[in-house]
Amino acid sequence: MVGFKGFFTKKTLLGLLLGQVLSLIVTSTGFSSSELARRGINAPTSQSLANYVLLAIVYGAILICRKDGMKAKWYYYLLLGLVDVEANYLVVKAYQYTSLTSVMLLDCWAIPVVIVLTWLFLKTEYKFMRIAGVVICVSGLVLVIFSDVHAADRSQSASNPVKGDLLVIAGATLYAVSNVSEEFFVKKAADRVELMAMLGLFGAIFSAIQISVLEKEELKSIHWSSGAVLPYVGFAAAMFLFYSGVPILLKMCGSTMLNLSLLTSDMWSVLIRVFVYHEKVDWMYFVAFAAVAVGLVVYSAFDKEVNETGEQRKHDDEEVGVTSLGKLNTMVGDSNTTIGERSV
């Protein structure tokens, strides 16, 4: 079992801290998107394009300067770029058809998909207490959804709930595939610079194609002003920081920890509204926030236990091997002595 000190290892603290930094960045993108929507700008793929271009330019330049060559095949990144672009598009598109409650709840579908994919393809171990941490996190989010968010949301009419819910599920599934693929690349196949450069390149290409097909008329109708440009630039900058930080957390703690950390983004949004805009919210928000925080700590602590168990097993195997080799040498030595005595 993990002792009290196990909760405060360097890896645990860094993982929890980075996860919440990324969660706050996601919260800032939500505020930027809300401001754009308030101004009548509804072009989700166009919002993501600037981020992909920044990734391609910044990390592409670093990749070229290194002159190390590619560690993974380019067509894997092509598929990853397509999955990532469509995941972003589907979830944002779902808001047009279903309610906020449904999007928040169904977006959690990414977590069990990530667990299954990492267990199947990355051989990640999930013991009982780690699963308990996941359940506590998700329970906290469900609690906040069915409190005052649900009450406020009932007054809104969804135009096509079934279609919207299916879009969220599809988008969450693609998010999970993208996260697990990125974890594989940073841990086993490539590194962060190559991953970000190629994801940015192919993400920009697919975004540009999709914009020309689906959002061309929307862009023509936009009246660009400082009020519209600033949130657009803010969204792009926040997404660039988010994408840059994700591979670091994936390498440290894995894609399940990433998705659990991002559950707090909606709650950070609530806290900002309370302390900045002085809005009143239901007390259950704070209970939910505490539940997610506890779940994250439990998951992180028992992530350490799994790693220690694996290292101990490896050490034990090495000791067994050394002991067996020693016994074998002893047996060979005894046999040689016996043969020598018989020869005499």
Side-chain angles (χ1 to χ4, degrees):
M1 293 294 291
V2 178
F4 183 76
K5 293 182 179 179
F7 286 93
F8 298 98
T9 61
K10 183 178 180 181
K11 177 186 173 183
T12 301
L13 290 175
L14 287 176
L16 290 171
L17 177 61
L18 180 56
Q20 291 315 296
V21 169
L22 294 177
S23 183
L24 279 169
I25 292 174
V26 169
T27 302
S28 70
T29 64
F31 279 97
S32 299
S33 296
S34 299
E35 181 62 21
L36 289 171
R38 191 179 69 83
R39 295 178 178 275
I41 301 174
N42 184 23
T45 309
S46 301
Q47 289 178 219
S48 302
L49 175 62
N51 167 53
Y52 290 123
V53 172
L54 282 173
L55 290 173
I57 293 174
V58 174
Y59 289 100
I62 299 173
L63 186 63
I64 292 171
C65 291
R66 289 196 322 191
K67 299 180 180 179
D68 290 339
M70 296 283 293
K71 297 178 182 178
K73 300 297 184 181
W74 64 270
Y75 44 80
Y76 293 128
Y77 293 116
L78 183 147
L79 294 174
L80 177 60
L82 178 61
V83 168
D84 198 73
V85 168
E86 296 310 317
N88 288 325
Y89 177 79
L90 289 173
V91 173
V92 174
K93 190 71 175 176
Y95 283 96
Q96 298 179 19
Y97 301 103
T98 191
S99 64
L100 174 64
T101 300
S102 296
V103 174
M104 291 176 65
L105 184 60
L106 293 174
D107 200 34
C108 296
W109 171 249
I111 295 174
V113 177
V114 162
I115 290 175
V116 171
L117 292 177
T118 51
W119 177 69
L120 286 175
F121 298 105
L122 301 182
K123 308 304 178 185
T124 303
E125 295 182 28
Y126 290 98
K127 293 190 175 181
F128 174 77
M129 290 305 297
R130 297 184 75 192
I131 297 296
V134 173
V135 172
I136 294 171
C137 285
V138 176
S139 299
L141 185 64
V142 172
L143 181 66
V144 73
I145 288 173
F146 287 102
S147 61
D148 60 327
V149 172
H150 181 64
D153 201 49
R154 281 178 295 189
S155 61
Q156 301 175 3
S157 58
S159 60
N160 193 336
V162 175
K163 181 178 180 179
D165 291 349
L166 291 175
L167 287 175
V168 177
I169 293 173
T173 303
L174 292 182
Y175 272 137
V177 173
S178 177
N179 291 157
V180 175
S181 300
E182 290 182 38
E183 182 179 350
F184 171 78
F185 279 119
V186 297
K187 285 185 175 179
K188 299 183 179 181
D191 59 24
R192 186 170 71 99
V193 172
E194 179 178 311
L195 171 62
M196 291 293 98
M198 300 308 293
L199 177 59
L201 174 63
F202 289 112
I205 292 173
F206 286 118
S207 294
I209 294 172
Q210 189 155 300
I211 289 169
S212 65
V213 175
L214 300 177
E215 297 180 4
K216 184 168 58 176
E217 297 302 321
E218 179 67 29
L219 289 178
K220 288 180 179 179
S221 64
I222 296 175
H223 299 288
W224 293 104
S225 62
S226 60
V229 171
L230 287 177
Y232 183 85
V233 172
F235 180 88
M239 287 297 287
F240 175 77
L241 292 174
F242 175 75
Y243 271 70
S244 298
V246 162
I248 300 174
L249 184 59
L250 288 176
K251 191 166 186 177
M252 288 174 56
C253 305
S255 39
T256 303
M257 181 64 176
L258 169 65
N259 283 273
L260 291 176
S261 297
L262 296 183
L263 290 179
T264 60
S265 61
D266 295 303
M267 299 171 197
W268 283 122
S269 176
V270 170
L271 291 179
I272 291 172
R273 289 191 173 98
V274 170
F275 293 105
V276 176
Y277 299 104
H278 305 290
E279 295 182 7
K280 293 183 179 180
V281 297
D282 193 271
W283 60 270
M284 294 183 72
Y285 272 110
F286 302 101
V287 176
F289 194 94
V292 175
V294 170
L296 286 171
V297 172
V298 170
Y299 181 90
S300 300
F302 283 89
D303 179 40
K304 176 179 180 292
E305 181 189 42
V306 171
N307 292 336
E308 287 182 342
T309 301
E311 291 174 359
Q312 183 64 41
R313 188 182 299 120
K314 181 179 178 181
H315 182 262
D316 292 344
D317 290 343
E318 290 175 350
E319 285 189 344
V320 170
V322 170
T323 303
S324 300
L325 183 60
K327 289 181 179 179
L328 180 61
N329 289 335
T330 302
M331 292 172 63
V332 172
D334 292 343
S335 298
N336 289 337
T337 302
T338 304
I339 293 174
E341 290 174 350
R342 288 177 180 178
S343 299
V344 173

